Amino acid sequence: MSLLEIRNLSIAFPSPRGWMPAVEGLDLTLAEGEVLGLVGESGSGKSLSVLAAMGLAPRTARVSADALRFAGQDLLTLPQAARRRLSGKEMAMVFQEPTASLNPCFTVGFQIAEAIQAHEGGSSGERRRRVLDLMRQVGLDEPERRFDCYPHQLSGGMNQRVMIAMAIACRPKLLIADEPTSSLDTTIQAQILALLAELQRRHGMALLLISHDIELVASIAGRIQVLYAGQSMEEGPAAALVAAPRHPYTQALLAALPERAAGSRLNAIPGAVPSPGERPTACLFQPRCRFAVAACRSVRPGYDGAVRCLTPLDASGRPRARMP
């Protein structure tokens, strides 16, 4: 049984022209103990989809789904109070900017302990001992001293470790990491990613890693799902997807990585992810796709659970068959 099941998720926002879709028909499943990477550019709907599953979508959003389940519980019918108890305890999230997520007015030790108190209670002494142990688990040295530090007294990498400690404080079944390394330098990025992988193995929890860096995700994820403009474009085993992408968007994301640049120029994807009100009626990626043909401008491709493309790529990186 899937730990997390999302079927036909759609999210729309009101506008003068009516409801504008931000996410359309998204399916996503995550098994217990699995590591799934959710990849795409900004505006692809990655974070929004996960926030909807957490019950944290913006108030103006209209969220609908055929199924939205976590650990056998129907999140669509779960009372709001029960949903709040679930979020932060069994489903926990690490956000991309720790300094914006931590309260500057309270010590980091107090904030981690507050998460434990909210869901599990216990005496202040018990909570303090738990916090110090969590700080050690996430690699914070001198936890007794760090306990009384304020966020501004710690580095960005340390604050992200605090956020991870807070997220795993109640032993969640699912940890969601939303661009957890985007605000950190390269060396610290590798350390945080290694920490997440270690904690996932140690606690046996499922990990949903959201990022724009597909190779970074592939280093720890068993499976990757690629999103573009609110739709799934491709998914499959991480190693196979990186070695031989079937969707032109996945191929373009990989080619745009700095380490894959042949010379001094980066292989940037032309254009930008279309906003909800400016999306093409046919293939959403075709205005930016170097393989687009006439059919791509008139037909919206379906999704078979592996790739959404009229002419998916073969092992050589070229379209299998040209449509007229």
Side-chain angles (χ1 to χ4, degrees):
M1 183 180 70
S2 297
L3 177 66
L4 178 66
E5 180 188 1
I6 299 174
R7 196 151 36 84
N8 196 27
L9 173 67
S10 295
I11 306 172
F13 290 92
S15 79
R17 290 184 289 167
W19 289 94
M20 295 295 175
V23 174
E24 297 180 83
L26 177 68
D27 292 344
L28 184 151
T29 59
L30 183 63
E32 293 184 7
E34 183 184 13
V35 182
L36 171 66
L38 205 56
V39 176
E41 295 168 281
S42 296
S44 292
K46 309 182 301 297
S47 300
L48 182 60
S49 299
V50 171
L51 287 172
M54 293 277 290
L56 300 174
R59 290 183 179 275
T60 55
R62 184 178 69 185
V63 179
S64 64
D66 290 346
L68 197 58
R69 297 190 184 93
F70 177 78
Q73 300 178 81
D74 187 350
L75 300 179
L76 294 171
T77 59
L78 199 66
Q80 196 61 36
R83 191 85 176 266
R84 283 196 297 271
R85 287 194 297 270
L86 193 69
S87 297
K89 180 172 173 61
E90 295 191 49
M91 301 171 67
M93 193 164 182
V94 178
F95 296 92
Q96 68 181 76
E97 183 48 70
T99 53
S101 302
L102 291 168
N103 191 322
C105 300
F106 296 98
T107 65
V108 296
F110 173 86
Q111 294 184 65
I112 300 172
E114 190 177 37
I116 298 172
Q117 183 179 20
H119 293 287
E120 297 185 352
S123 68
S124 59
E126 290 171 338
R127 291 196 298 273
R128 181 180 176 88
R129 285 191 291 273
R130 285 270 302 278
V131 171
L132 293 176
D133 179 58
L134 286 163
M135 285 181 159
R136 294 185 191 97
Q137 285 189 48
V138 300
L140 280 167
D141 60 341
E142 300 182 272
E144 290 82 2
R145 184 167 69 85
R146 304 294 184 197
F147 187 99
D148 295 316
C149 287
Y150 290 87
H152 73 272
Q153 295 175 304
L154 302 179
S155 68
M158 287 181 178
N159 276 323
Q160 193 61 292
R161 290 174 188 270
V162 169
M163 290 297 300
I164 294 170
M166 194 181 304
I168 66 169
C170 298
R171 299 171 289 272
K173 295 178 180 177
L174 168 61
L175 178 63
I176 300 166
D178 186 3
E179 298 274 9
T181 63
S182 63
S183 62
L184 308 175
D185 65 46
T186 305
T187 303
I188 304 301
Q189 282 183 3
Q191 293 175 5
I192 294 297
L193 203 65
L195 172 63
L196 288 170
E198 178 192 347
L199 291 171
Q200 185 274 327
R201 288 191 296 269
R202 184 189 304 172
H203 295 282
M205 59 188 173
L207 175 62
L208 179 54
L209 181 60
I210 301 171
S211 179
H212 62 278
D213 189 331
I214 190 168
E215 281 199 331
L216 186 76
V217 168
S219 66
I220 67 168
R223 185 164 57 92
I224 291 177
Q225 187 164 345
V226 180
L227 267 59
Y228 180 78
Q231 289 187 340
S232 287
M233 295 291 118
E234 181 175 4
E235 62 183 284
L241 187 142
V242 170
R246 298 180 62 197
H247 197 284
Y249 180 56
T250 310
Q251 183 190 66
L253 284 176
L254 287 162
L257 293 170
E259 56 268 31
R260 295 203 176 195
S264 59
R265 290 179 62 86
L266 294 175
N267 299 310
I269 307 174
V273 179
S275 64
E278 298 174 343
R279 290 179 176 169
T281 56
C283 174
L284 298 182
F285 186 60
Q286 61 84 12
R288 308 174 69 192
C289 180
R290 67 192 183 104
F291 298 121
V293 291
C296 303
R297 293 183 282 275
S298 59
V299 178
R300 174 163 288 194
Y303 189 60
D304 61 5
V307 65
R308 184 191 301 273
C309 186
L310 295 177
T311 57
L313 308 179
D314 60 20
S316 69
R318 302 294 299 178
R320 288 183 179 176
R322 283 286 184 182
M323 292 190 69

